[in-house]
Amino acid sequence: MTNPLLLLALAVAPAAVLLKYILIRDKYGHEPLKLVAKTFFLGSLSTLAAIVLEFVFNIQVPFVRQFVSVAVIEEGLKLLVVWFAAYRSPHFNEVMDGIVYGVAASLGFATVENILYVFSGGVGTAILRAFLSVPSHAAYGGIMGYYLGLAKSSRQQGTNKEAPLIAKGFLIVVALHGAFDASLENLGLLGIVLAVAIEIVSWLLFLRSIRDALSRSPWSEEKQGTPFRFCVNCGTRVEPNARFCVNCGQRL
């Protein structure tokens, strides 16, 4: 019997690595770790809600089930998590922030889901999901978060595009998520190939979203002319040579 601690480590590690990755990529305006943690935690709780909703709205029709009973519910819950946990926060003030919080919510969801699958399926399941399902969840969260970031910027600028941008991001990730699950569950070996292709497309969109979000940052070196640092505890911008955060006193 496989050691439960090993299974837990294998289940949690992929999300931990991916969350660290996105926090590093957020190089111009680090988000408060408490708010990121809150978003991650609520994302993990949303997994339980998804289990209930997917049981209630379980449509036993191939392809339809993966898009409606799975993708719409899971991505909808992640969207609600970011909306209530971070979207209205003053710390959510640039496009990249949407990606950070979107990924945090998605990885919170993916962590609990992964624990359930890994303890049921063992080490082989852990390895497969570490390269397929968990990275895909991160990409979906990042893409949807990118559009949430654009929507928040639209609101701040007083334009009328907030709702359409949120809807666009949601529909894109539902399409990607639904196609990924439908391929794996309905098409056998060909489905695995298609799922990998969909994951690659998702990550290409995710990485492009990160690049565009960073280019839009008002604190980018290109726009400021000076590289700034940010407190890892509260996200306050500090001078390059500062040793302590002027807001919370965190040692830098």
Side-chain angles (χ1 to χ4, degrees), residues 209-231:
S209 298
I210 292 174
R211 288 194 299 270
D212 185 67
L214 290 174
S215 72
R216 293 171 181 267
S217 174
W219 299 289
S220 67
E221 295 174 14
E222 292 78 5
K223 293 182 179 180
Q224 290 288 341
T226 304
F228 287 97
R229 298 167 66 200
F230 296 84
C231 174

Side-chain angles (χ1 to χ4, degrees), residues 97-142:
D97 296 349
I99 296 178
V100 171
Y101 294 119
V103 170
S106 285
L107 289 178
F109 183 97
T111 298
V112 174
E113 183 185 64
N114 212 36
I115 290 171
L116 296 175
Y117 275 107
V118 169
F119 272 82
S120 173
V123 174
T125 298
I127 294 172
L128 285 174
R129 290 184 60 82
F131 291 97
L132 287 172
S133 299
V134 178
S136 292
H137 273 294
Y140 306 149

